[in-house]
Structures are given as structure tokens and as C-alpha cells.
Amino acid sequence: MAEANILNKAFDGICLKVEKALSQQGFARQNVSSDNNSDRVALFTNDAVAYSVYFNSEKHHMMLRSCAMTEDGPDNEWKNLATWLFDPQTDKLSDADSIGKDFSAMLEGESQIKKVQQAKKKKKKRKDDGNADPEFLAKRFVTFFPELKDEITEEVNNYYPFRGVTFTKKSILPKLSGYVKTANKKQLEKLGQLLSRQYSNGDIDTRSIITIVIINSFSEGDYNKLYDYFDEDLQKASKAARKYIGKTVKPEKIQKKKRSFVADTLRDMQK
């Protein structure tokens, strides 16, 4: 009983510090509970990001995690931001106080606040414009290549923002090349529909990846095999894009605040 009391006091103290840090950024604490009676969980959300303080009783891990918010709540693709060992049998409330201070300091850090702001802008853009970003595009390819799921998770955990061009070249193109060469009519139709749909719904970065990175990587024969399965918009866009294969493209002059990360990357690739 004493052990449970210490854990409850420690967890509550940590959560109070986290709540104080997040409430100033517009987050609200939600009423949730753990499926395991021995574990502890607290959830804090805004419209774009979710944070969770989670205690794993089996491993004695006190964790601060984050994930994106969807219309139905957290997407549950949790990324661990910090992990501390806490054993209520041997550790003290002063140790929990140190954990709480570390979590709150991380949440109040400039880089973490910037990530939340960027996530809110991205969420608003999707809601207003219906645009899908390069990470969304990559996840659509998991249907074709299930092994991409782990590679996407690794990319998201190690890089921010998601490196759409780099990930596509490194992880998607090698698989896609072999797929197109051996695909039957039904499989080609499925791929053509995916690319068309994502081109139609995609933001400027996603469209650039589909045309300049993916479609321009196909040989003429593989491109011709797929072309009939593109919708009209992608047929036009792909024809225009393939004219630039092997050519140096002078980038558009655009305002600095509107410059696209992928657009810059594509420009650098063509130097």
C-alpha cells in the first residue's frame, strides 16, 4: 500500500508540473485511465498535438510521449520524448520532483514549442485546403510495402520535419522500381490510382515528390505502362515533369516565408 501511495503522489506531482507547462500553450488535461491497473497515464491535448505522461509498472519507466491529434483523438503513434527510471520501492518523491522538472523544462523549450506551432499550422492547412503532406504520402505506400511502416517510424523519430525527398529516394524508389516491372494490370491500376489521388490531394511538396522524384525515376517503358492508369491531371503533370529529366531547372522566385522545404531540396538535387 505504501508503494502505491508513493507512486500516486509521484505521478500526480509530475503531472502537475507538466500540466502547468502545457496549459500556458493551450493544452487541456483529458480524463483517461490505463488498461493496466498497475500503470498510470495522463493525457494533455490541443487540436493538433497530444502529450502523455505514462508510467510502465513492469519496467519502472516514467515516460513523456507525444503524437499527432486526429478528428477522433490521438493517433496513438507515440514518440518517446524522455524516459526516466522510477521504482516506488526504492526511489523518493524528490526523484519524482526531478523528473517533473525535466519534463516541464523540455515542454517549455523553444524547439518543442516550435514543433507544436508547426503541427498546428499543418493541421489548419489540411483542414482548410484538404492537402496531404509527404509523410501522409509515404504512409499510403505501406499498402504496397508493409515493411515501410517501421522505416517511416524510424524517420519520424529521428528527423523533423519529415524528409520527404530523402525518404522517397532511399526507401520507396528501390521497392517501387521492381514492383512496376513485375506488376500485373490490376496492380498497375492500383498504383496509378494511388499516385493520382495523392497528387490531387497533395500539397506542393507532395506533388513535387510524385512527379519529379517518383515518376521521373521510371524508365520510359515503365512510365508508359503506368500512364494509362493516371487520371487526367496527373497525366498532364507527368508529361510536363518528364521534359525536365536530365535538365537543370531554374527555380521560381518566391517569397522567403513561403518557400517549401521540398522545393529547396529538389532544386539542390538538380545542381
Side-chain angles (χ1 to χ4, degrees):
M1 183 64 68
E3 180 181 332
N5 288 336
I6 291 175
L7 176 58
N8 288 335
K9 289 181 179 179
F11 189 81
D12 288 344
I14 291 169
C15 290
L16 283 174
K17 287 182 171 60
V18 168
E19 185 172 11
K20 182 178 179 181
L22 289 176
S23 63
Q24 299 172 6
Q25 302 175 44
F27 285 81
R29 184 168 181 173
Q30 307 300 325
N31 186 18
V32 296
S33 60
S34 172
D35 293 334
N36 185 336
N37 291 333
S38 299
D39 293 348
R40 301 289 187 277
V41 64
L43 179 66
F44 308 86
T45 67
N46 67 12
D47 61 343
V49 179
Y51 285 107
S52 171
V53 178
Y54 176 66
F55 177 73
N56 184 311
S57 58
E58 182 179 354
K59 297 181 179 179
H60 294 148
H61 282 177
M62 192 74 72
M63 295 179 287
L64 177 65
R65 312 179 299 175
S66 71
C67 74
M69 284 289 289
T70 70
E71 299 300 325
D72 299 319
D75 67 7
N76 290 321
E77 295 184 8
W78 294 103
K79 175 184 176 182
N80 283 346
L81 302 179
T83 302
W84 283 65
L85 285 173
F86 184 82
D87 187 342
Q89 287 186 331
T90 57
D91 291 325
K92 303 176 181 178
L93 292 179
S94 59
D95 297 313
D97 186 64
S98 296
I99 296 173
K101 289 178 179 178
D102 178 71
F103 285 179
S104 62
M106 176 174 290
L107 294 170
E108 292 170 339
E110 183 178 347
S111 62
Q112 198 63 37
I113 291 175
K114 186 175 180 180
K115 287 181 180 180
V116 172
Q117 292 172 339
Q118 290 174 328
K120 290 182 72 173
K121 289 179 182 178
K122 184 184 293 185
K123 178 88 172 180
K124 185 177 185 298
K125 183 178 180 182
R126 284 188 185 178
K127 185 176 180 180
D128 293 345
D129 301 332
N131 289 343
D133 63 13
E135 182 181 342
F136 186 85
L137 171 66
K139 289 180 178 179
R140 303 287 72 74
F141 279 100
V142 172
T143 303
F144 294 86
F145 315 111
E147 64 272 22
L148 280 177
K149 185 174 181 179
D150 291 338
E151 296 180 44
I152 292 171
T153 299
E154 183 179 354
E155 174 72 22
V156 171
N157 287 345
N158 288 283
Y159 297 97
Y160 189 91
F162 187 85
R163 303 176 305 166
V165 173
T166 300
F167 185 84
T168 301
K169 291 182 65 179
K170 181 185 71 173
S171 299
I172 296 178
L173 290 188
K175 300 175 177 63
L176 200 55
S177 176
Y179 180 89
V180 173
K181 292 185 184 302
T182 60
N184 58 36
K185 181 179 178 180
K186 186 175 181 180
Q187 291 170 326
L188 290 172
E189 181 179 11
K190 183 179 179 181
L191 177 59
Q193 289 175 347
L194 179 144
L195 291 173
S196 298
R197 188 178 306 115
Q198 297 311 310
Y199 182 82
S200 176
N201 296 331
D203 59 18
I204 186 173
D205 292 345
T206 299
R207 290 187 171 205
S208 296
I209 289 173
I210 290 173
T211 53
I212 302 297
V213 181
I214 295 178
I215 291 179
N216 278 9
S217 74
F218 293 143
S219 67
E220 195 65 22
D222 288 345
Y223 169 70
N224 290 333
K225 286 171 64 177
L226 266 175
Y227 178 82
D228 288 339
Y229 301 107
F230 295 156
D231 65 13
E232 185 178 352
D233 286 344
L234 188 53
Q235 285 182 345
K236 291 179 179 178
S238 64
K239 280 184 177 180
R242 288 185 70 83
K243 293 178 181 179
Y244 293 102
I245 293 177
K247 295 183 180 180
T248 300
V249 182
K250 186 176 181 180
E252 266 189 309
K253 291 184 178 180
I254 48 183
Q255 294 180 9
K256 187 175 182 180
K257 67 178 180 180
K258 293 184 179 180
R259 289 182 71 171
S260 158
F261 170 76
V262 171
D264 287 346
T265 305
L266 292 172
R267 181 193 65 181
D268 292 340
M269 289 169 55
Q270 294 167 345
K271 285 184 177 179

